[in-house]
Amino acid sequence: MTELERGPLGRRRGRGARERILSASQQLFRDQGINRTGMDQLCAVAQVSKRTAYQHFTSKDELVAEYLRRFDPDVMPGVFDRTDLTPRERLLAAFEIPASTPLCPYIAAAVELHDPQHPASQYARDYKTAIAARLTETAREAGATNPEQLGEQLALLIDGASVRTRVLNRESFPTAAAIAAVLIDNAIPASSPRQPSDDRGTTGSAPVPVGGQ
């Protein structure tokens, strides 16, 4: 392929082709699902030829995996990397998901693909494991007596709230956050040192960016 070769709509190919393919995949996979999105349609939206698409991604499977990797590569840094919040506040901030957020893309991909060996399914498992690990680490910082158990409980709550919001088309994260607060307070001994801001019961933090779930 030369620099002057052009895509189906006359748009010049080049470095931007990969980003256009990923942008198109994010739009189409979210709006109509992975299985219903064919490479012909994806290439048309991205304004690249199939040849160009397969030069950047050897298969649709590889594209799906990369699509997931792009969502939240640092695992919710807007929550877990915040230094202005106490550990308890960071745990609660994980539940501040905007109402407009669609179903967690990792859950959606795993449900659609039905193949535990698919690279995207493996990445979804790795991501969910990483979320639980970060919750566990933060629970340990907060002084939880059993941080591994609390981390898994909170991870399950987040996923359950995401699915319930999608199925019922009704916001479920405030209820999940209330349950999380009870679990967190029960897991942290009363003698554990807590900063005054913990007593507010809310974090007051900014909503988590879309994709971090």
Side-chain angles (χ1 to χ4, degrees), residues 6-20:
R6 297 179 182 273
L9 297 183
R11 186 168 180 174
R12 192 168 172 176
R13 295 175 186 151
R15 287 175 148 184
R18 180 181 175 85
E19 291 304 315
R20 294 201 305 275

Side-chain angles (χ1 to χ4, degrees), residues 4 14 21 30 36 41-42 53 79 88-90 95-97 104 131-132 135-136 154 173-174 180 193:
L4 296 179
I21 294 166
R30 180 191 64 230
R36 292 181 59 193
Q41 181 188 18
L42 198 149
V79 170
R88 180 180 181 275
E89 288 174 333
R90 292 201 297 274
F95 291 84
E96 295 183 1
I97 308 295
C104 170
I131 286 290
L135 287 165
T136 296
L154 297 180
F173 278 98

Side-chain angles (χ1 to χ4, degrees), residues 80-102:
F80 295 115
D81 294 343
R82 290 186 61 170
T83 58
D84 60 319
L85 301 180
T86 66
R88 180 180 181 275
E89 288 174 333
R90 292 201 297 274
L91 291 174
L92 288 173
F95 291 84
E96 295 183 1
I97 308 295
S100 59
T101 301

Side-chain angles (χ1 to χ4, degrees), residues 76 94-95 97 102-108 110 124-125 127-132 135 151-167 172-173 176 211-213:
M76 295 175 68
F95 291 84
I97 308 295
L103 176 65
C104 170
Y106 306 96
I107 296 175
R125 287 195 297 274
Y127 178 82
K128 291 300 181 181
T129 300
I131 286 290
L135 287 165
E152 286 293 331
Q153 289 173 334
L154 297 180
L156 180 61
L157 264 179
I158 290 171
D159 287 342
S162 177
V163 173
R164 189 170 178 81
T165 296
R166 173 66 174 269
V167 172
S172 297
F173 278 98
Q213 300 175 41

Side-chain angles (χ1 to χ4, degrees), residues 36-211:
R36 292 181 59 193
T37 299
M39 288 301 292
D40 288 335
Q41 181 188 18
L42 198 149
C43 289
V45 173
Q47 299 187 32
V48 300
S49 68
K50 289 181 73 172
R51 178 188 173 200
T52 298
Y54 285 117
Q55 285 176 335
H56 288 281
F57 302 96
T58 58
S59 66
K60 182 182 176 183
D61 290 348
E62 181 182 325
L63 173 59
V64 174
E66 182 62 22
Y67 150 79
L68 290 181
R69 273 192 288 269
R70 296 287 288 254
F71 266 99
D72 190 20
D74 297 321
V75 189
M76 295 175 68
V79 170
F80 295 115
D81 294 343
R82 290 186 61 170
T83 58
D84 60 319
L85 301 180
T86 66
R88 180 180 181 275
E89 288 174 333
R90 292 201 297 274
L91 291 174
L92 288 173
F95 291 84
E96 295 183 1
I97 308 295
S100 59
T101 301
L103 176 65
C104 170
Y106 306 96
I107 296 175
V111 170
E112 268 205 84
L113 295 172
H114 302 294
D115 179 6
Q117 302 306 315
H118 192 288
S121 296
Q122 178 61 55
Y123 186 77
R125 287 195 297 274
D126 291 345
Y127 178 82
K128 291 300 181 181
T129 300
I131 286 290
R134 297 215 73 177
L135 287 165
T136 296
E137 177 186 356
T138 306
R140 185 174 289 110
E141 292 177 32
T145 54
N146 190 336
E148 290 79 9
Q149 181 183 65
L150 181 59
E152 286 293 331
Q153 289 173 334
L154 297 180
L156 180 61
L157 264 179
I158 290 171
D159 287 342
S162 177
V163 173
R164 189 170 178 81
T165 296
R166 173 66 174 269
V167 172
L168 299 181
N169 194 28
R170 186 174 70 216
E171 181 57 61
S172 297
F173 278 98
T175 300
I179 298 171
V182 174
L183 289 172
I184 292 166
D185 288 341
N186 287 341
I188 299 174
S191 58
S192 293
R194 294 167 60 185
Q195 297 182 22
S197 57
D198 276 343
D199 297 328
R200 294 194 305 252
T202 58
T203 66
S205 58
V208 178
V210 173

